[in-house]
Amino acid sequence: MPANRPSLPLNIVIVGASGDLARQKIAPALFALFCQGLLPERCQIIGFARSDYTDDSFRARLAETLTCRYRPGRNCRQLTQDFLARCFYCRGDYDARDAFLDVYQIMRRLEDGAGGGNRLFYMAVPPQVFQDVAQAIGGAGLVHCQGPRWSRVIVEKPFGKDRASSDRLVRDLRTIFTEEQTYRIDHYLGKEVIQNLLILRFANAVFEPLWNRRHIERVEIVWHEDIGMEGRGGYFDHYGIIRDVMQNHLLQILALTAMERPAKLDHAGAIRAAKVRLLRAVAPVRAGGLRLGQYGAARTSGRRRPGYLDEAQVAAGSLTPTYAAVRLRLRNPRWRGVPFDLEAGKGLHDRLTEIRIHFRRRPAAAFRFQTQPLPGNVLVIRVQPDEGIYLRVNNKVPGLAMALAPTMLDLRYADAFPRRPIPSAYECLLWEALEGDRSLFISEAELAAAWDIFTPALHALDRRPRRPLPYVFGSAGPQADAGG
Ligand code: BG6
């Protein structure tokens, strides 16, 4: 348990507390922080939503997803009880100021006599209601504007559907919460390996001198999922894979992989500024440069796996892509001419997120005995599953004969850090938000720059929708020779 356990009272309000995000991600992450002693002694979690729950039934619902990863063993039951005793529920409409006055009554139990407390609002609701909720919270006077206690709001993507709608959301929310109070989540930034990108690049002398167009031939960022809609067809059909994954998660990975060294490595403003500069250097995508696909039904061992169009809440004949691949070009001296290939797809044959840095090959026939050109070195940064970093190097095969073979130097997290559980992305991001560190959250400028890359192509596709290439669920995606 950290020595400097925070002591100010803290109220965490989860708006949309009856939803999956709250149950599957936010509550387990808060519980993990609680188990590590990272929440203040005086802390309450107040769930707010329209559904009818009592404190007890809300606690019972949360209890289903809590696991004692950090303090397994006999006291798990006690820890769970202690945590749940701090959870309360308040029912109300999202735009009802009076309902948030009820929330205030619960907050007061902790804050009275303590000179107030800190407040974290988590918007686990669709973006269409962000503004109503913010107005109601503001109208109920729950946001500290100044003084020693802070108020912060966490919001989740999708932040709009294009640059203009994203700007509107930002403007609307700003009437209640300042930019400094706003924490925009891209949960990939909370993933362990993504956070390590900064360290890998700038805490090692070997990589940075090679990290440019002279030595790097191509960069791939791949994101595969082997599942379909899992009940999210209604949402996904309105957004598609580009808005769901590429415009946010993959561009954030790109920015951290390719940005210049930030002026200060431990300063949120400097890191975010370096990412913005990089994103602004990416040439906007044209619709013609996108390869789009949509998974269809599969038949394995006699069983039929539904295709995208069979998924619940997907419009009949929908042209929404579940797969996209694009080659990005960066217009700056470091990367001019180096392709950055992004690929994202659902319903594929594997679950994998990886960054692959392909280094330029050695000139042919560097060695006398060599008959083939040597394969190039590849640095593979495996985000998930099975986190790791691998470097493909050419190596002499042991023996009297002189033969070379490409071989992997590998750093599997599970082997290198066997006793270090990898925190969930949400655990890490909630902790950073409580600490007031915004390095892992998206600034307004980053959001705008990321939308500028895809907005022209998305608009062109909205105007003239294109039939995505079909691929079979569980395959490697659309056939490479199928055009598109
Ligand atoms: C979300 C997307 O942002 O990320 C989902 O909306 C996707 O479509 C999910 O499944 C993947 O997250 P993770 O952490 O499981 O890789």
Side-chain angles (χ1 to χ4, degrees):
M1 191 173 297
N4 59 342
R5 183 174 179 161
S7 61
L8 293 174
L10 170 67
N11 273 300
I12 301 175
V13 182
I14 307 175
V15 185
S18 56
D20 272 355
L21 178 63
R23 206 170 79 95
Q24 312 267 16
K25 305 283 187 193
I26 304 172
L30 288 173
F31 183 54
L33 296 180
F34 178 76
C35 290
Q36 295 170 85
L38 295 173
L39 294 183
E41 181 57 41
R42 286 171 300 165
C43 172
Q44 288 182 153
I45 294 153
I46 307 170
F48 181 96
R50 289 175 305 190
S51 314
D52 256 328
Y53 284 105
T54 59
D55 287 344
D56 282 345
S57 57
F58 178 58
R59 289 171 184 159
R61 185 174 154 81
L62 295 186
E64 289 165 13
T65 54
L66 304 184
T67 51
C68 291
R69 290 173 63 224
Y70 289 97
R71 308 267 292 274
R74 274 182 300 137
N75 65 356
C76 177
R77 202 183 154 83
Q78 189 57 49
L79 277 171
T80 311
Q81 294 309 327
D82 290 352
F83 176 77
L84 291 173
R86 290 169 160 79
C87 298
F88 302 91
Y89 186 75
C90 188
R91 202 205 80 82
D93 286 331
Y94 291 130
D95 58 356
R97 190 188 69 110
D98 289 356
F100 283 96
L101 289 174
D102 295 342
V103 170
Y104 177 62
Q105 293 308 323
I106 306 176
M107 286 177 156
R108 279 184 49 191
R109 295 181 205 155
L110 202 68
E111 296 183 353
D112 273 2
N118 295 326
R119 298 171 182 174
L120 181 69
F121 300 94
Y122 199 124
M123 300 259 202
V125 285
Q128 307 83 281
V129 291
F130 282 179
Q131 179 59 2
D132 285 347
V133 174
Q135 290 290 346
I137 290 176
L142 302 191
V143 182
H144 300 301
C145 295
Q146 54 201 17
R149 308 292 188 240
W150 52 252
S151 296
R152 296 178 186 145
V153 65
I154 297 185
V155 284
E156 284 259 355
K157 75 170 189 48
F159 304 117
K161 293 192 82 180
D162 58 7
R163 170 70 198 266
S165 51
S166 160
D167 285 355
R168 240 183 345 265
L169 268 180
V170 169
R171 258 197 325 269
D172 288 351
L173 203 58
R174 175 109 32 87
T175 57
I176 305 298
F177 293 99
T178 62
E179 177 67 13
E180 285 63 42
Q181 291 175 317
T182 306
Y183 289 67
R184 294 184 196 87
I185 281 200
D186 180 314
H187 78 280
Y188 268 58
L189 293 183
K191 293 195 186 256
E192 191 60 43
V193 176
I194 301 291
Q195 288 186 57
N196 191 31
L197 282 172
L198 212 63
I199 308 298
L200 188 72
R201 287 190 57 194
F202 302 116
N204 293 296
V206 291
F207 295 121
E208 199 48 20
L210 305 179
W211 216 257
N212 55 54
R213 61 196 294 268
R214 246 190 99 206
H215 300 284
I216 292 178
E217 188 173 75
R218 178 162 94 97
V219 177
E220 281 180 282
I221 301 177
V222 303
W223 184 95
H224 295 170
E225 249 183 14
D226 54 3
I227 52 175
M229 291 301 112
E230 308 280 309
R232 293 172 76 231
Y235 150 80
F236 191 87
D237 208 36
H238 281 101
Y239 286 88
I241 197 75
I242 299 170
R243 290 179 169 105
D244 186 42
V245 171
M246 267 194 169
Q247 181 272 344
N248 33 72
H249 304 328
L250 296 203
L251 285 187
Q252 282 298 324
I253 297 178
L254 168 79
L256 287 167
T257 305
M259 70 186 183
E260 297 298 315
R261 183 190 168 91
K264 288 186 190 157
L265 283 170
D266 51 3
H267 186 268
I271 296 169
R272 291 173 8 147
K275 286 200 284 169
V276 172
R277 274 196 297 280
L278 187 282
L279 291 170
R280 287 186 181 151
V282 179
V285 170
R286 285 173 308 103
L290 281 164
R291 196 175 145 71
L292 304 176
Q294 186 186 81
Y295 65 82
R299 192 170 283 283
T300 40
S301 334
R303 282 187 53 213
R304 184 176 185 277
R305 171 68 186 70
Y308 178 68
L309 295 179
D310 306 314
E311 300 265 15
Q313 293 164 35
V314 167
S318 167
L319 297 177
T320 299
T322 59
Y323 171 98
V326 67
R327 172 160 284 188
L328 298 183
R329 296 287 183 180
L330 275 53
R331 299 170 297 190
N332 67 14
R334 186 191 284 258
W335 297 117
R336 199 172 307 279
V338 179
F340 280 73
D341 291 326
L342 272 50
E343 183 192 51
K346 285 186 176 267
L348 296 177
H349 63 315
D350 58 354
R351 172 172 179 262
L352 178 77
T353 305
E354 250 177 32
I355 309 163
R356 301 182 195 135
I357 318 277
H358 297 263
F359 290 90
R360 294 193 186 279
R361 289 156 191 253
R362 304 294 302 147
F367 292 96
R368 247 185 320 113
F369 54 85
Q370 178 195 340
T371 52
Q372 310 267 344
L374 289 176
N377 301 122
V378 184
L379 178 68
V380 178
I381 302 168
R382 164 83 61 87
V383 179
Q384 63 188 26
D386 202 7
E387 294 82 350
I389 300 172
Y390 308 92
L391 181 63
R392 188 173 79 185
V393 294
N394 293 310
N395 207 60
K396 177 182 171 302
V397 179
L400 298 181
M402 213 20 145
L404 298 188
T407 324
M408 282 296 191
L409 292 179
D410 62 7
L411 185 159
R412 275 185 74 229
Y413 275 45
D415 296 335
F417 310 106
R419 274 179 290 280
R420 289 268 167 192
I422 296 190
S424 79
Y426 280 87
E427 202 176 307
C428 164
L429 293 173
L430 274 159
W431 169 241
E432 297 290 319
L434 293 176
E435 286 287 277
D437 186 337
R438 297 163 75 232
S439 329
L440 299 182
F441 296 86
I442 312 291
S443 70
E444 178 195 341
E446 273 174 86
L447 188 57
W451 273 121
D452 282 345
I453 296 169
F454 282 109
T455 294
L458 289 167
H459 281 177
L461 288 170
D462 289 343
R463 277 193 307 272
R464 296 188 53 201
R466 198 164 87 201
R467 184 160 302 283
L469 299 165
Y471 62 95
V472 174
F473 185 96
S475 69
Q479 293 296 306
D481 54 2

